Amino acid sequence: MDDFDLLQEATQEAEAAEDSRALYEVKMKFLGRTGKVTALLKGMKEIAQESRPAFGKKVNALREALEEKFASLEEKIKQRELEKKLAGENIDVTMPGRHTKQGALHPVTRVKDRLIDLFSGMGFEVFEGPEIESEYYNFTALNTPADHPARDMQDTFYLTEEFLLRTQTSAGQIRVMEQKKPPIKILSPGRVFRSDDDATHSPMFHQMEGLVVDKHITLCDLQGMLDEFAKKMFSETSKTRLRPSYFPFTEPSVEVDVSCAACGGKGCSLCKGTGWIEVLGAGMVNRRVLENCGVDPDEYSGFAFGMGIERIAMLKYGINNIKLLTENDTRFLEQFKD
Ligand code: DAH
């Protein structure tokens, strides 16, 4: 074969190669170990002795020409491939980003944290009692003996004759007073359970209990603290009012209303036209409860209060059904990101 034909053939094929891989294959076809040009050199022995130097020179020149050709094509192809790669990696800064969903705290958690924050600022410490309680802590020590009619106020889930799911965080009051001598200033958040189920009652809900015991504690201290609580929790203009009530563990007992934040006290559908909303129960700790815990009621006095966290959340955020707080529908929950 004429070496000029080979040069042309290799050049044509090399120029037609679309990428570096194809070019490499063409190169091997001619210059590789079993390539056509290499075959020419191998076939030298069959050529007459005197023609060999000239033939060798020609083939070498051909090989060099081809090597040069391949090198320059390789360079071009590499450059083209690089440009293509860079073009493919071009970032479109106008493209909308991928959204990641951001979580939010549950409204009950928000209110609980807010309450802890608020009362910690007044010097309260957090104490968490157990959810499974004995009858003694949940009722008896709180001045509610077995035959006491107040036990019917709360429908209780009994686990055994002695143990139950606590119906109120008030049980924690006893545990704290047993462990600690006055002055006492504790806040006790937690789950409570009652056999109760409608739009404003759920079999499980959360309460926040407060207890203050020291010398010379009066109902005025309670009211002053509640005013502060209402202002910080609802609005700067919120007021409180105490109504006489009954709880076995407090004497006197009160129910505490806060002026309706929705209408400013004028009367609206939320407060049923009264201008007031009931938010918690409270009172002066009953002497018998102090005695039950070994605290001398002639030396010390105290006040206690207990509120439903769901109830506060419903009032604060205008939620009309307590079930929304346990369904955990993210469309509902993601609205609370204040
Ligand atoms: N434990 C009461 C309840 O669940 C609420 C309560 C009322 C708590 C008066 C108190 C209190 O500490 O003094 O209905």
Side-chain angles (χ1 to χ4, degrees):
M1 181 191 271
D2 193 315
D3 49 277
F4 180 72
D5 288 346
L6 262 189
L7 178 63
Q8 213 177 31
E9 186 191 338
T11 308
Q12 258 175 18
E13 284 188 34
E15 279 172 354
E18 294 210 325
D19 52 29
S20 42
R21 192 177 168 78
L23 183 68
Y24 178 76
E25 272 161 21
V26 178
K27 187 173 167 183
M28 288 303 109
K29 184 173 163 188
F30 291 92
L31 299 177
R33 233 170 3 103
T34 54
K36 290 187 178 182
V37 176
T38 322
L40 283 180
L41 285 170
K42 280 185 188 157
M44 257 216 319
K45 359 184 202 347
E46 279 135 49
I47 289 174
Q49 187 79 35
E50 64 278 12
S51 321
R52 272 185 208 170
F55 180 81
K57 240 180 164 174
K58 257 165 88 182
V59 177
N60 270 336
L62 169 65
R63 206 190 58 213
E64 272 164 30
L66 280 179
E67 264 165 6
E68 237 169 72
K69 184 84 204 161
F70 279 113
S72 88
L73 281 175
E74 229 166 62
E75 179 98 345
K76 268 194 214 148
I77 284 186
K78 285 234 168 83
Q79 185 61 29
R80 211 167 60 209
E81 282 176 347
L82 181 66
E83 277 163 17
K84 211 167 133 190
K85 187 167 172 248
L86 290 179
E89 283 171 1
N90 223 352
I91 296 169
D92 179 0
V93 289
T94 64
M95 223 159 89
R98 274 194 207 119
H99 285 281
T100 46
K101 277 218 164 191
Q102 204 187 356
L105 289 177
H106 192 281
V108 168
T109 307
R110 299 187 90 91
V111 170
K112 187 182 91 179
D113 289 353
R114 178 81 192 100
L115 287 168
I116 291 177
D117 192 41
L118 195 161
F119 283 103
S120 308
M122 299 189 218
F124 283 75
E125 280 173 65
V126 173
F127 166 86
E128 287 186 58
E131 290 173 5
I132 294 177
E133 264 300 3
S134 69
E135 238 189 342
Y136 176 77
Y137 287 101
N138 196 78
F139 289 125
T140 316
L142 285 162
N143 195 33
T144 323
D147 56 354
H148 199 289
R151 285 211 185 183
D152 298 340
M153 283 160 74
Q154 300 170 359
D155 288 319
T156 311
F157 289 115
Y158 278 88
L159 302 174
T160 65
E161 262 193 30
E162 188 189 352
F163 291 101
L164 44 82
L165 294 179
R166 68 175 172 199
T167 60
Q168 49 189 358
T169 44
S170 306
Q173 289 184 25
I174 307 298
R175 291 187 176 273
V176 169
M177 284 192 280
E178 277 180 354
Q179 287 166 20
K180 212 168 130 76
K181 294 292 146 228
I184 290 171
K185 211 168 181 187
I186 60 108
L187 196 62
S188 192
R191 288 193 180 88
V192 297
F193 307 84
R194 293 182 196 178
S195 179
D196 219 349
D197 203 5
D198 62 36
T200 52
H201 296 90
S202 155
M204 184 285 291
F205 61 103
H206 298 75
Q207 282 188 334
M208 182 69 80
E209 190 85 13
L211 174 71
V212 175
V213 183
D214 202 351
K215 288 180 178 159
H216 315 300
I217 297 288
T218 69
L219 198 65
C220 288
D221 296 319
L222 171 66
Q223 184 152 29
M225 190 218 64
L226 289 172
D227 276 339
E228 192 62 21
F229 150 75
K231 283 192 173 59
K232 293 227 170 89
M233 196 68 207
F234 298 102
S235 113
E236 259 313 303
T237 55
S238 290
K239 292 190 205 40
T240 59
R241 123 183 138 169
L242 307 187
R243 273 182 296 108
S245 183
Y246 173 78
F247 298 103
F249 35 88
T250 43
E251 180 58 36
S253 299
V254 292
E255 236 144 354
V256 181
D257 297 340
V258 172
S259 54
C260 180
C263 63
K266 285 192 218 70
C268 67
S269 61
L270 187 68
C271 59
K272 302 193 182 80
T274 63
W276 295 96
I277 289 184
E278 187 199 318
V279 291
L280 57 95
M284 298 306 291
V285 181
N286 193 308
R287 292 176 63 89
R288 293 221 187 136
V289 174
L290 294 175
E291 276 165 6
N292 287 342
C293 303
V295 177
D296 181 358
D298 292 323
E299 194 181 354
Y300 294 103
S301 56
F303 67 72
F305 58 90
M307 63 186 92
I309 298 182
E310 278 82 353
R311 181 162 170 78
I312 306 276
M314 288 168 82
L315 292 171
K316 193 167 162 61
Y317 298 118
I319 301 165
N320 61 9
N321 192 326
I322 196 168
K323 299 288 175 308
L324 290 165
L325 292 168
T326 41
E327 278 167 356
N328 283 339
D329 184 331
T330 52
R331 290 168 303 177
F332 166 76
L333 293 174
E334 69 193 1
Q335 298 172 64
F336 305 95
K337 286 183 180 164
D338 60 42

